[in-house]
Amino acid sequence: MFLNLFPFLGIKIFKLALIPYCVMLHPYILSQVHCSNMAASLDKLFCREVELENESVLKVYQCETGDVGCVVWDAAIVLAKFLEIATRISASDSQQPGIAKFCNVTLHNKTVVELGAGTGIVGIMAGILGADACITDLQEFVPLMDLNIKENADRIQGSVKACTLKWGEDITPFLPHPDYIIFSDCIYYEESLEPLLETVSALAGNQTVVLWSYEERTTGNKPELQQRFFEAITKDFSVEEVPQDCLHPVYQSEDIHVLCMERKS
């Protein structure tokens, strides 16, 4: 649930789990455009808790200091909760044609690669749901991802490992092509647009499903970058938006979108 209580400050209250948490909604700056102070400092951490449908809790540590790769962002939580409910709802149970196909995400024993993982919340959710997930980001974020993997080890039904991957570079270590690629809020800097496109295109095979989310942003060149990404990616991929009806009834917002895409035949 999102309550925009302080629009003039760009602050939203995101009611999560047991404790409402106030976050500055700065954009998710891409891990590919970074400086030395973006590394995740593990000196001062606090834990975010996300209730799961089975009444257990996904715990994710984020940093009190550092930059945006150290923070759990809204669009990532929306995508994570979509994965959770979509794996639990059979397509045959849906009474709405056109929605059923989005409610049949099968992660058990599937391979998943998360791009720009940051804290790793989405990939860890995939592991909890039975996937063999590799959550990736720059090297400086690996310790934080490792910490969050260890914190949730008793809930992970598949496997999760943290790896270094810089967009635009060699993806051979991540082959064969995974069953799923996931990423969240990764369209922000112009310098990162082409590397992200290159990595998605190289990593996705003919049978790979790509699930990703983003928050609408209307400032600066952000609408243009989003449009350019869509124009480029639709040359090789078919892209469909997951209807709001398929998202978690609480963890959703009109300005956050979840999309599903597959390589065109």
Side-chain angles (χ1 to χ4, degrees):
M1 184 190 322
F2 301 86
L3 304 176
N4 198 359
L5 300 180
F6 306 99
F8 56 94
L9 293 178
I11 298 176
K12 289 182 181 179
I13 298 293
F14 192 3
K15 188 176 181 182
L16 243 192
L18 300 177
I19 303 173
Y21 173 64
C22 181
V23 297
M24 290 295 296
L25 284 189
H26 295 305
Y28 184 101
I29 300 176
L30 299 180
S31 60
Q32 315 312 313
V33 181
H34 64 285
C35 56
S36 59
N37 67 353
M38 285 189 67
S41 171
L42 303 185
D43 294 334
K44 294 183 178 181
L45 300 172
F46 64 94
C47 186
R48 299 287 302 276
E49 295 188 350
V50 180
E51 291 181 343
L52 303 179
E53 299 302 302
N54 64 3
E55 298 185 354
S56 65
V57 176
L58 166 59
K59 297 180 179 181
V60 180
Y61 281 98
Q62 66 179 46
C63 302
E64 289 185 5
T65 60
D67 223 309
V68 291
C70 311
V71 177
V72 180
W73 294 101
D74 294 352
I77 298 173
V78 170
L79 179 56
K81 293 297 289 186
F82 164 70
L83 292 181
E84 183 183 24
I85 63 170
T87 59
R88 301 182 188 282
I89 301 175
S90 169
S92 62
D93 293 335
S94 176
Q95 302 301 312
Q96 303 181 59
I99 288 181
K101 61 181 177 180
F102 296 112
C103 296
N104 193 30
V105 176
T106 303
L107 293 179
H108 187 69
N109 291 332
K110 301 296 184 179
T111 54
V112 174
V113 174
E114 181 180 7
L115 304 177
T119 63
I121 184 173
V122 185
I124 292 171
M125 176 68 87
I128 288 173
L129 297 170
D132 294 317
C134 180
I135 58 178
T136 70
D137 211 310
L138 294 185
Q139 176 59 40
E140 51 260 44
F141 296 107
V142 170
L144 180 60
M145 293 190 292
D146 278 335
L147 176 64
N148 286 326
I149 292 171
K150 292 176 182 177
E151 181 64 30
N152 294 281
D154 61 342
R155 288 171 286 278
I156 293 173
Q157 301 300 308
S159 66
V160 184
K161 62 180 178 179
C163 299
T164 300
L165 174 60
K166 185 175 181 179
W167 301 341
E169 297 189 352
D170 183 28
I171 53 87
T172 302
F174 303 94
L175 296 177
H177 302 291
D179 296 307
Y180 290 89
I181 297 171
I182 54 179
F183 60 92
S184 179
D185 254 351
C186 288
I187 306 169
Y188 189 75
Y189 276 134
E190 184 166 0
E191 294 88 341
S192 294
L193 197 64
E194 288 301 323
L196 175 60
L197 287 164
E198 290 176 17
T199 297
V200 173
S201 182
L203 194 57
N206 291 332
Q207 304 302 317
T208 301
V209 176
V210 184
L211 293 168
W212 53 288
S213 63
Y214 74 97
E215 181 176 345
E216 289 181 24
R217 295 187 171 90
T218 59
T219 59
N221 66 343
K222 304 310 175 286
E224 176 190 349
L225 289 179
Q226 291 176 352
Q227 182 62 31
R228 285 171 53 189
F229 183 86
F230 281 112
E231 289 176 354
I233 205 70
T234 52
K235 293 178 182 178
D236 298 315
F237 291 84
S238 58
V239 182
E240 294 182 88
E241 180 168 356
V242 177
Q244 291 283 318
D245 288 348
C246 282
L247 303 181
H248 192 282
V250 174
Y251 296 89
Q252 64 168 269
S253 176
E254 291 183 357
D255 61 351
I256 293 179
H257 305 273
V258 176
L259 298 104
C260 176
M261 67 186 193
E262 298 179 80
R263 189 177 292 279
K264 293 179 179 177
S265 56

